[in-house]
Amino acid sequence: MLQVNYIRENREKVLERLGARNFKQTEIIDQIIQLDEERKQSQTSLDNLSAIANSSAKQIGELMRTGNKEAADKLKAETTSNKEAIKSYGEQLAALEEKLFSLIVQVPNIPNELVKPGVGAEDNEEVYLHGEPAQLGEHALPHWELAAKYDIIDFELGVKITGAGFPVYKGKGAKLQRALINFFLDHATAQGYREMQVPHMVNEASGFGTGQLPDKEGQMYHAGVDNLYLIPTAEVPVTNLYRDVILKEDELPVKNTAYTPCFRREAGSYGAHVRGLNRLHQFDKVEVVQIVHPEKSYQVLEEMSSYVQSLLQELGLHYRVLRLCGGDMGFTSAMTYDMEVWSAAQQRWLEVSSVSNFETYQANRLKLRFKGNTGKTQLAHTLNGSALALPRIVASILENYQTDKGIKIPEALVKYTGFEYID
RNA sequence: GGAGAGAUGCCUGAGUGGCCGAAAGGAACAGUUUGCUAAACUGUCGUACUGGCAACGGUACCGAGGGUUCGAAUCCCUCUCUCUCCGCCA
């Protein structure tokens, strides 16, 4: 959520940059500025009346103590009308604040200057390309056929026990999953991230803190009885660890990592491109999260991007890095890099990571601040990235590393799997 | 699921109607002292909105929301959460 003061002081820039997102309801911005002005006036009036009431109450107390009951009663009578005014201003103020809040949560984050205007995926910028497409033979298979051929992932079995999009990993398939999780966590730890294990369900306040609620309500599984949400990403619990926290400047940067399963309803996204591991309702992911000083956040974004790329390089995958255009970025992000690996058999790119700087957008919702060495308290910047999401990595490994002898496990992963081939 | 207790500042914890934005201790920070470590002493030490160049003010906040009262951390109601015991159970 943006800060009202920022909007007020940078109206033109806000409108211009939101334009890069194709954000159309620009009148909201002026309504916010207007409402905030009214809010201030209302607040001031209320404060002044409260000050009078407080001082009257003190005087009455004093009069009572000194036994001057008559004067006390007189003053009491005078406070009655003031009381009503206070109540009325209080209600007015609450209504204004509620309205203001309902508007401000509708405004997405302001894209960074580097983010190009655009409406969708076709406007994203490719900023880096690594490697070459794997050259596969005549009989190359897509990963879902390889999964069936080697009996390592069973989609039908998942359908039976749960439903579509909940695969069962079997034998070496299951071991490959576990190997990747350990590989990713070990690398994150080596980069200075602290490994955390967090709940896989979160409450409403957490959902709001990172921006999933109220916006993407329908994308999360919700356990109605207890009003808890299954996490769509570890970002939610891991970032919310710092909700309502004021850190010391020396404690920055905070670097945490966690492996969790992720649950997404993916409502309305069925079709040709959801086959196999391409899009699931439950998948595994290792996430990295940082809380940093505002002046460092873009440098850290680049570091996180490089880190994610180093993982892809170690796995020997052909990938590209996109800087998302305004229209394709998430609601809460100021700048996002997507990493996509090449799926040789499907002949398409698959998103495996998304690294974002949220600047103060989440921090403002979370009330995540730090106290500067100068003594001033201000909002921190939050960032996160997938490092990495498993299913499409698995898809890419299966397809790109298929040989006549079976699936060759990437060199760097062998010490984690304990085997060199899936056959 | 049954019974009970509780929610106060970074922490412990006092506070049952006005002198309480809140005692005291601890932690932290700054300084003095000091051969070093430690200790001692002094000071600072919540957040938000708002007025002011500033100094310094105003208002709100003692889990949340209502109510009583001239006045509420303190009394009343509702809700939420936490803890303890019993039961069940990985």
Side-chain angles (χ1 to χ4, degrees):
Chain A
M1 164 167 91
L2 298 176
Q3 297 170 88
V4 180
N5 285 347
Y6 183 85
I7 294 177
R8 192 176 53 226
E9 287 158 23
N10 302 277
R11 179 178 172 277
E12 300 308 318
K13 188 190 169 189
V14 168
L15 287 172
E16 187 271 317
R17 286 280 77 203
L18 287 178
R21 270 193 185 271
N22 217 23
F23 179 77
K24 295 261 169 57
Q25 304 117 285
T26 50
E27 72 283 353
I28 286 185
I29 299 301
D30 287 323
Q31 281 177 41
I32 286 170
I33 294 172
Q34 172 65 27
L35 274 171
D36 186 51
E37 196 51 49
E38 290 173 32
R39 192 208 101 240
K40 271 193 191 176
Q41 285 172 16
S42 191
Q43 176 79 257
T44 303
S45 304
L46 178 63
D47 284 358
N48 290 339
L49 292 173
S50 299
I52 293 169
N54 286 344
S55 110
S56 299
K58 270 208 171 96
Q59 284 176 49
I60 291 168
E62 192 56 38
L63 291 169
M64 302 280 271
R65 204 170 306 108
T66 55
N68 196 344
K69 189 159 185 310
E70 202 176 304
D73 285 343
K74 187 158 171 274
L75 200 48
K76 270 192 208 182
E78 285 169 13
T79 58
T80 317
S81 63
N82 196 21
K83 244 181 114 176
E84 278 160 18
I86 287 175
K87 192 169 183 192
S88 133
Y89 272 110
E91 282 164 5
Q92 188 184 60
L93 184 63
L96 284 169
E97 282 175 343
E98 193 182 328
K99 178 78 178 141
L100 190 56
F101 180 78
S102 76
L103 289 179
I104 202 143
V105 295
Q106 291 175 44
V107 182
N109 203 352
I110 300 168
N112 179 276
E113 298 289 347
L114 287 170
V115 173
K116 292 276 188 293
V119 291
E122 62 284 358
D123 298 317
N124 294 335
E125 290 175 84
E126 182 177 300
V127 294
Y128 188 71
L129 181 68
H130 176 89
E132 299 286 332
Q135 298 303 313
L136 303 182
E138 289 287 301
H139 309 294
L141 299 172
H143 70 265
W144 53 87
E145 288 183 24
L146 293 163
K149 177 178 174 184
Y150 297 110
D151 193 27
I152 51 172
I153 306 172
D154 195 324
F155 295 96
E156 286 72 28
L157 209 44
V159 168
K160 182 177 86 172
I161 61 168
T162 305
F166 292 90
V168 173
Y169 301 88
K170 299 154 78 173
K172 284 185 173 177
K175 286 192 192 301
L176 177 60
Q177 292 282 115
R178 185 151 57 89
L180 282 166
I181 292 164
N182 285 334
F183 174 82
F184 293 144
L185 282 175
D186 283 354
H187 280 70
T189 305
Q191 278 290 307
Y193 291 94
R194 180 170 52 148
E195 184 174 340
M196 308 288 260
Q197 280 203 14
V198 292
H200 298 165
M201 300 184 95
V202 293
N203 56 29
E204 244 180 305
S206 295
F208 175 78
T210 32
Q212 280 71 25
L213 295 175
D215 233 56
K216 295 186 209 125
E217 168 107 49
Q219 286 301 327
M220 289 192 287
Y221 288 98
H222 181 222
V225 243
D226 295 304
N227 195 24
L228 295 173
Y229 294 86
L230 279 163
I231 57 170
T233 159
E235 161 195 350
V236 181
V238 175
T239 311
N240 271 280
L241 296 172
Y242 296 86
R243 172 153 48 83
D244 291 319
V245 167
I246 301 178
L247 294 158
K248 295 196 189 94
E249 186 165 346
D250 304 343
E251 292 174 304
L252 301 176
V254 171
K255 300 172 75 174
N256 287 318
T257 184
Y259 152 71
T260 70
C262 301
F263 303 89
R264 300 187 181 178
R265 295 189 59 231
E266 302 291 359
S269 64
Y270 297 97
H273 284 170
V274 304
R275 233 180 138 179
L277 295 170
N278 290 342
R279 173 159 280 139
L280 300 171
H281 289 307
Q282 177 179 333
F283 63 94
D284 295 290
K285 179 159 65 67
V286 171
E287 185 82 358
V288 289
V289 175
Q290 290 209 37
I291 299 164
V292 306
H293 191 286
E295 285 167 14
K296 304 267 177 64
S297 66
Y298 279 94
Q299 182 194 325
V300 169
L301 180 67
E302 296 304 319
E303 284 168 19
M304 288 172 80
S305 162
S306 303
Y307 168 64
V308 170
Q309 292 181 54
S310 75
L311 297 174
L312 296 171
Q313 287 167 20
E314 276 208 58
L315 293 174
L317 297 172
H318 173 44
Y319 70 87
R320 65 176 185 174
V321 180
L322 303 176
R323 176 156 51 222
L324 298 191
C325 73
D328 206 29
M329 269 197 321
F331 195 77
T332 54
S333 176
M335 189 155 115
T336 296
Y337 289 117
D338 270 10
M339 284 69 180
E340 299 185 334
V341 296
W342 182 247
S343 166
Q346 299 182 76
Q347 291 285 301
R348 54 186 282 246
W349 294 101
L350 300 176
E351 181 193 332
V352 291
S353 177
S354 194
V355 183
S356 301
N357 184 359
F358 304 98
E359 298 192 7
T360 58
Y361 197 90
Q362 290 183 331
N364 193 31
R365 292 173 158 236
L366 294 158
K367 299 205 195 322
L368 196 191
R369 291 159 291 177
F370 70 95
K371 191 177 277 251
N373 293 330
T374 52
K376 196 166 157 254
T377 301
Q378 58 177 313
L379 293 171
H381 280 195
T382 59
L383 302 99
N384 67 48
S386 344
L388 288 161
L390 268 70
R392 295 173 188 163
I393 290 289
V394 170
S396 184
I397 288 174
L398 296 183
E399 293 182 9
N400 294 331
Y401 284 92
Q402 56 184 305
T403 71
D404 293 341
K405 294 196 290 181
I407 312 289
K408 187 176 188 318
I409 299 297
E411 194 60 41
L413 215 49
V414 170
K415 74 170 181 178
Y416 288 92
T417 54
F419 51 83
E420 289 179 33
Y421 279 91
I422 295 173
D423 44 23

